[in-house]
Amino acid sequence: MATRLVLLCHAATRAMREGAFSRLSEEIDEAGRSKAGAVSLRPAPQRVYIGPGPAAGQTAQALGLSGSIEPSLADMDWGGWRGRGLMDIQEEDPAALAAWMKNPAAGVPGGEPFEAVRRRVSAWMDDLAASDARILAVTYPSVLRAALAHVLGGPDATAFRIDVAPLARLTLSFNGVWRLQGLEAGAPDA
């Protein structure tokens, strides 16, 4: 049996709906909770990991799941831009926003570079590689992007060309090497 890893993005939050950078304390909203409750997970996972933070935990709860909190599945640290919208940042510091848009992998001022996210997610995935289990990880958009970059071996900057909607599902397998099995768009209107 090969390892099957499904990474599920958390349900919708206010920041997602407003096009803002996520907050550490971000909770899913009622519409997101309702949509998460309707998600089918077949076949059922044998192990469940949950990213730290309310959004991942509340999504797992809405799915009727419990599991281990995994620090490697934390969202990217958005530094001083946490919880802020692009328009606000454009008004306050257009040069910083332009620099980030040119090279989002470098991270935002005071935040975490994408390379660091990719390293921690890659190490976690590689530790799971030979587990021969069906694994579900409820996590954040940046983690799905990092996992894809790890599996496909692409440059970090390309990961930000991937839109990750609420409840998007990335399915990977490991049988000697990580392989992409599928990416389901999720619920953009969630």
Side-chain angles (χ1 to χ4, degrees), residues 13-30:
T13 65
R14 181 176 176 182
M16 286 176 135
R17 290 187 194 284
E18 294 175 355
F21 292 92
S22 64
R23 297 171 189 88
L24 292 176
S25 60
E26 193 79 35
E27 296 189 0
I28 62 175
D29 60 24
E30 284 309 310

Side-chain angles (χ1 to χ4, degrees), residues 61-131:
Q61 184 178 31
L63 290 163
L65 299 170
S66 60
S68 302
I69 302 298
E70 175 53 54
S72 297
L73 298 175
D75 194 8
M76 186 171 185
D77 181 352
W78 295 106
W81 290 5
R82 211 177 284 129
R84 299 185 59 210
L86 289 175
M87 297 303 290
D88 293 336
I89 297 165
Q90 172 65 33
E91 287 178 19
E92 184 178 302
D93 195 349
L97 181 61
W100 178 77
M101 292 185 88
K102 184 175 180 179
N103 183 15
V108 303
E112 179 180 26
F114 185 71
E115 177 185 349
V117 178
R118 184 174 175 170
R119 270 195 317 268
R120 69 176 149 84
V121 171
S122 297
W124 177 77
M125 287 174 59
D126 291 345
D127 285 346
L128 293 176
S131 62

